[in-house]
Structures are given as structure tokens and as C-alpha cells.
Amino acid sequence: AAAWNVGAQPLGAEMLKETRFEKGAGGAWNLEQHGDARATATAKDGLAVTIDNTDGVDWHIQLTQGHVALSKSQSYTLTFSARADSPLRMVVCASQAHSPWASLWMENVKLGPEMKEYRLAFRPGADEENARICFSDLGANKTGVLFKNASLRPGGVSGLQAAEQWGSVPPFKKPDLGMRTKAAQDDWMAFLFDTESHYWTGMRQYLKEDLKAHSLIVGTSAPFSPGVIQSAMDIVDGHAYWQHPQFPGKPWDPGNWKIKNVPMAGDPAGGTLASLAGYRVAGKPYICTEYNEPAPNVHASEAFLLLGAYASLQDWDGLFVFAYSHSNENWDARKIVSFFNIDQNPGKLVTLPAVETMFLRGDIAMARRLLDFPVTREDAMNACLQSGVWWSLQRFGMKDMTPLISRVAQDPITGAQPVQPGDTAVARSDTGELTWDTKQRRVLIDSPRNKAVIGSICGPVKLGDITIDPMPDTLGWSAITATEIKPRDWLITATGYEENTGMKWTGPAMESVGRDWGTAPSRVEGIAARITVPWGGVKAFALDGRGQPGKQIPVTESEGKTTVEIGPAYQTLWYEIRD
């Protein structure tokens, strides 16, 4: 009681300039709209926010109030009432009210049709004189949200409560954690860490010593468990999905879901790769046992190309697709059957030879620099207090572009913060082979045996002595690779838009097809491009579904170079250029 009650504090004075929203969005509260997202706000018994248009980026609509001073040594209690016309997962957070808009605390809140009062207590991750309170991710759905009676006050935290005594304290509930003093929070988190650590090490000991298992032992995937705990295993594992399906109503409802139908290549935040790289622990093998870019995202053929290239740059040790198939009963469906299965997905399957050569054959060189970010047990516990287990090295200052340039890892041994590359909109790997271009929203691969242009079509690209010139298509986006099979024998793949026959999108944003996935066969766009290689005397072939040479393609020779024009006339996604 003596330890936990240090810092106990009743609620203090109101910190918000406006609590009842009486001035609408023109007073202390600000309705932010970014991109193509649009909303309107009306002050009427609270603040009614109507989301009129979404653009696939949830945070593009948010309600904020700034000019709030926060201290990392102080606990705060935020209360508000809210409801939504349709189910909405809202992010409630505190962040900087200025660039770089760093997050200080956040919590997910599920809104429903009934007005409900929410009480959230938190301790910010840093001192900030000019912070803001945010109701974010309102742009997830076209719906209406009503806010009432917001309040931010210091304090509202207790230590050992009257009904508790040492040895019989009930488990802390996550929503109530912020209502406890820092000492109580620290002891609770230490208890969780010790309990989990004992479980994993005990299971590993049982498997290794009692059962005499010879295989390498994996615990669970990051971020389900912090790296400082999983580092006691033989291997550390990570999972990631680009634009995983969201279910605004019932979980995994096959008729009510959506995806953000946007490409990852050139994403300003590094896509999934930045956070995935940040789960690695120094000195331990690292694998990714779940990865995908779920259908029906029409850019999904980029998924494993980007993963394979940057996993090789990071020198990871294993990659697993989730999933080849969930069933052996539908092996000849000849259509895309679900979010994750790739066995019937032509755009993904055709890229796998290039991925194999990048990662297993080692066509993409390992980054020259390794940056170890110090993350101790205490650091990890504090991070879990702030944001739960879902954190990566960005939580400890890693820039999003850094793992696209150099290798990165968590280091549980205390050390100095590494010197990172400067801020850049075009992140080029320190090997020079990979370019992540956030301006033109594309990725270029230029290694001696692997070339690729993945992303927006921006004219011809010279990659070493091979030139790839994508032509305009439906999306203004494509993924074109050139992979050396042997000298003067190259495999070409060209992928873009794909869908099942008769697939029906539920809206122009192409975020869902509901239950109407369409019928066989799946249909793919024939991507047109010019491929120029630096030698003559070669032939080019369109490959059939089994990868065997089919129709021969005319070539044009000039000044010792050969240009091959591929396109929809050949009804294929892959080609061969050879002697």
C-alpha cells in the first residue's frame, strides 16, 4: 500500500477549453479533413459529425482539440460520451499538435448505436507543451457520430484500493490500467512479463530436455509477445498483412467486410516492412511465418516480391505465405476463392520464381549496415503500458525509411541509440539495389540477376543494362520483373489488375465484394511493356500456364540490343527471353 499509493491523485481541474461542443467545429474543436475524405459537423446537443466521403485512409477524418500541455510524469483522465449510426472503431489518442505529430498515447474504442460514456486514463509517453486530444479514424466508414461532454483532467488515479489487500489483488483490467498509479502499473506489468516468460521458457525446457526434441523452438509471433521475452526461444517470428480485411460488424462476417484497395509499393510509412523489420532481435534467427496482401486488392501481386526483396536486404532466415490453401477439396476452382489462399491466384503464383531467386538464391544483397536499437526489459514493459504489445522499433525512434536502407534489430543489451540515415522521400538501400520511392509510389529492384519496376507507371526505367518501359494500363500500376535463369536466359513477369469473372464491387472505392466473389475463371489484365536487353541474337516466347514456351514473340534488334514488346495479345503473365 505504501509503494502503490505514491502518486495517487484525485481528479484535478478541467484542461479542455471547450467540453460541451457548443461552438461546433469552429471553436476549440477542429474537424480535420485530409485527402479526398469529407465530413460535416453540426453543434446540436453535442457535436454531430457526418462522414460524407471516405478515401481509404481512416485517419483522414479526425476531431481534435489542441493547445494542451502534458507531462509524462502525470496521469490524466479523459471522459466523453459518443455513439455511431453504424459500428465504428475509433482511435482516441494524445499526440503532438505540430510536426512530426508524434503519438503520446492511444486507445481503440468501439462505438455503437447506443450513447455510451467512456472513461480512459493514461500517462503520456513524453512531455509535450503543445499536445492535442484526437478522436481519430472517423474516416473508416460513411456514418454519423455524435459526441457529448468531453473532459480532460489531471489525476483520477489510485494505488491499493479499499477492497484490495496484498496477496489478493484481482487482475487489472486493461481499460482500468490507466486509473492506477505508476508503481501499481509497473508491478502489474512485471507480473505479466514474469508469468509469460516462465511459460515460454518452461515449455521450451520441456520440449528440449524432457521430450528430447531436436528442432528449433519458436514461441509465438511478434507482436503478440515482446521481443525481450521471445529472445529466450531459438527463433524469433513475425507476422504482417498489408490491408488486412476489416469487419465493421460481426467478426469474420463474410458479407460485411472491407479492405483498403491501395498498393504498398512506395508507401510513405514503409508499408508492413518497417514494423515487421522492427520485431527482429539482435543475435537471433528471424522468420516471418504469416504474410500476405489479401484479395481482392487488385495490387496484391506485389506482395511477395516486396517481402522477398527486403527480407533478403534484412538477412532474415525464413518466409512463409499465409496461405497456400485452406482446403484440398477445391484445388481446381480456377478462381480466387478467399482473402488469403494463393493456390488459385495467378498474379501471386507467377511472381514466386522471382521471389525465390531474390531470397533463397540471394540475388538481393544483405544490407551493409546493421543498426541495433537498445530495448531493455524495462523499456519493453513501459512500451506495453503505453500501447499494449503491438509495438515495433518505431516506438523507440526508428524512422520508417530506415529498414528500407539498412538492417535493423532490437538489442536487449543497453547500448547507444544508432545513427540513422537522414529523412528522405526516396529510400535507397545501402547496397544500391533497392529503391523505395514515396514520390512516384513505386519500388525499383536493380541487382545483377534481378530487375523489377513495381508501382505507378512513370515511364521507362534503366536498371543496369536492362530497360523496363511499362505501358499505360487500367490501374496506372503494374509489377514487372526480369529474373536471370542462366546467362542470356531471363524470365519476365508482368502483373496488374485481376478479378474473378462477374466479381461485383459494392462501391466505386472497390473495398468489398461482400459474398459476391464471382465465378471461374479468374481474369487478369495483360500488361504491356517494352523490355530491352543488352545483347542480340535472342528469341522471346510467351509462356503457357505450366511455364513452357508457347507463341514466339517478334523482337527488334538495334546497335547490339534487343527489344521485346509484351502485351495482352499473348494472353499470359510471363515470358522468356533467351538465346
Side-chain angles (χ1 to χ4, degrees):
W4 282 19
N5 286 337
V6 173
Q9 183 183 14
L11 286 172
E14 181 60 55
M15 298 175 63
L16 295 180
K17 294 181 179 179
E18 186 182 332
T19 62
R20 297 184 179 276
F21 304 97
E22 61 269 16
K23 295 183 181 179
W29 292 98
N30 178 38
L31 181 64
E32 294 189 15
Q33 304 174 63
H34 303 272
D36 293 326
R38 294 292 179 267
T40 54
T42 305
K44 184 179 181 181
D45 190 25
L47 185 67
V49 178
T50 301
I51 292 84
D52 302 309
N53 187 59
T54 62
D55 63 2
V57 182
D58 294 353
W59 64 264
H60 275 186
I61 297 178
Q62 50 187 317
L63 185 66
T64 68
Q65 184 173 149
H67 304 292
V68 176
L70 299 176
S71 170
K72 66 180 180 182
S73 61
Q74 173 69 57
S75 294
Y76 300 88
T77 298
L78 174 67
T79 59
F80 63 94
S81 296
R83 60 170 296 275
D85 294 340
S86 57
L88 177 70
R89 184 188 63 83
M90 179 174 70
V91 173
V92 183
C93 62
S95 70
Q96 292 177 329
H98 56 86
S99 180
W101 315 97
S103 176
L104 305 172
W105 161 81
M106 71 176 184
E107 184 69 68
N108 292 323
V109 170
K110 291 183 178 180
L111 302 183
E114 299 297 326
M115 181 63 70
K116 181 179 177 182
E117 183 180 27
Y118 298 88
R119 177 186 172 99
L120 305 174
F122 67 94
R123 187 183 294 265
D127 295 329
E128 179 54 58
E129 288 295 322
N130 184 13
R132 61 179 186 167
I133 298 299
C134 309
F135 298 116
S136 186
D137 284 23
L138 302 180
N141 298 327
K142 289 183 179 180
T143 186
V145 184
L146 179 62
F147 294 95
K148 290 186 176 183
N149 303 328
S151 173
L152 177 67
R153 301 167 70 181
V157 296
S158 62
L160 193 65
Q161 297 179 352
E164 300 172 344
Q165 58 182 331
W166 183 252
S168 61
V169 178
F172 289 3
K173 295 181 180 179
K174 185 177 179 182
D176 300 334
L177 186 60
M179 302 176 192
R180 297 287 188 146
T181 61
K182 184 64 165 60
Q185 291 180 9
D186 288 345
D187 281 352
W188 170 245
M189 192 55 61
F191 166 75
L192 291 180
F193 264 62
D194 287 345
T195 302
E196 185 172 349
S197 296
H198 292 160
Y199 170 77
W200 293 117
T201 56
M203 286 298 295
R204 183 185 181 279
Q205 181 179 358
Y206 173 69
L207 290 167
K208 287 285 192 178
E209 298 182 10
D210 293 6
L211 298 186
K212 308 299 181 184
H214 296 288
S215 61
L216 298 173
I217 305 298
V218 180
T220 188
S221 169
F224 303 135
S225 176
V228 293
I229 293 178
Q230 290 305 304
S231 62
M233 302 295 103
D234 299 325
I235 303 175
V236 175
D237 178 30
H239 293 176
Y241 294 87
W242 174 250
Q243 307 305 343
H244 192 282
Q246 300 175 11
F247 300 87
K250 183 176 66 175
W252 296 101
D253 183 344
N256 185 17
W257 56 270
K258 69 174 185 176
I259 60 165
K260 295 177 184 176
N261 204 340
V262 294
M264 188 173 83
D267 174 62
T272 61
L273 301 175
S275 58
L276 191 58
Y279 299 137
R280 184 182 185 178
V281 176
K284 285 288 180 176
Y286 182 60
I287 59 177
C288 175
T289 58
E290 281 192 29
Y291 192 87
N292 212 326
E293 192 164 319
N297 190 330
V298 295
H299 313 88
S301 61
E302 70 183 0
F304 308 124
L305 294 171
L306 298 176
L307 178 67
Y310 283 93
S312 191
L313 179 77
Q314 289 292 326
D315 193 32
W316 297 345
D317 298 284
L319 302 179
F320 298 74
V321 172
F322 184 86
Y324 182 73
S325 177
H326 282 75
S327 170
N328 60 5
E329 297 178 356
N330 202 23
W331 63 271
D332 197 28
R334 306 194 182 199
K335 65 175 184 177
I336 301 167
V337 298
S338 67
F339 301 121
F340 304 109
N341 290 0
I342 73 164
D343 65 323
Q344 309 284 328
N345 191 306
K348 291 178 179 177
L349 286 173
V350 79
T351 66
L352 295 184
V355 179
E356 187 271 342
T357 57
M358 290 181 200
F359 185 67
L360 294 181
R361 195 170 71 178
D363 287 3
I364 305 300
M366 176 181 70
R368 298 187 177 99
R369 295 183 65 209
L370 172 61
L371 304 182
D372 285 340
F373 289 78
V375 182
T376 64
R377 173 187 164 95
E378 182 180 3
D379 293 332
M381 286 195 292
N382 286 332
C384 289
L385 279 171
Q386 294 295 326
S387 56
V389 295
W390 292 86
W391 53 264
S392 181
L393 278 179
Q394 289 102 326
R395 179 69 177 73
F396 295 91
M398 183 188 75
K399 300 175 182 178
D400 291 335
M401 295 295 104
T402 294
L404 306 176
I405 300 170
S406 305
R407 288 176 287 149
V408 298
Q410 301 177 25
D411 192 343
I413 300 175
T414 302
Q417 194 77 2
V419 177
Q420 301 183 68
D423 293 332
T424 177
V426 180
R428 191 176 189 192
S429 65
D430 63 17
T431 62
E433 293 182 346
L434 304 179
T435 302
W436 188 280
D437 189 339
T438 68
K439 291 182 177 179
Q440 302 198 61
R441 293 303 298 266
R442 67 181 182 181
V443 169
L444 307 180
I445 299 175
D446 185 8
S447 72
R449 304 181 72 186
N450 241 296
K451 318 284 185 181
V453 179
I454 305 166
S456 298
I457 295 174
C458 306
V461 182
K462 193 173 189 305
L463 302 169
D465 51 11
I466 290 179
T467 298
I468 298 177
D469 186 7
M471 300 290 106
D473 58 29
T474 298
L475 299 173
W477 182 100
S478 59
I480 301 175
T481 73
T483 303
E484 185 185 60
I485 306 303
K486 58 185 179 181
R488 295 168 65 95
D489 188 349
W490 287 69
L491 173 68
I492 309 297
T493 68
T495 56
Y497 191 97
E498 66 177 2
E499 66 178 15
N500 291 333
T501 300
M503 180 181 284
K504 295 180 180 178
W505 298 100
T506 58
M510 298 168 56
E511 294 182 334
S512 180
V513 298
R515 297 177 183 270
D516 198 352
W517 285 79
T519 61
S522 54
R523 302 166 64 86
V524 297
E525 182 174 11
I527 299 299
R530 298 186 185 94
I531 314 295
T532 301
V533 297
W535 60 83
V538 299
K539 299 177 181 178
F541 298 89
L543 303 182
D544 65 17
R546 297 175 182 272
Q548 300 301 308
K551 185 175 182 179
Q552 188 168 347
I553 301 173
V555 301
T556 302
E557 292 191 27
S558 176
E559 299 179 352
K561 298 180 179 181
T562 302
T563 297
V564 180
E565 294 194 22
I566 63 174
Y570 300 105
Q571 298 185 326
T572 188
L573 295 177
W574 51 1
Y575 306 82
E576 186 178 15
I577 299 175
R578 69 184 192 193
D579 283 341

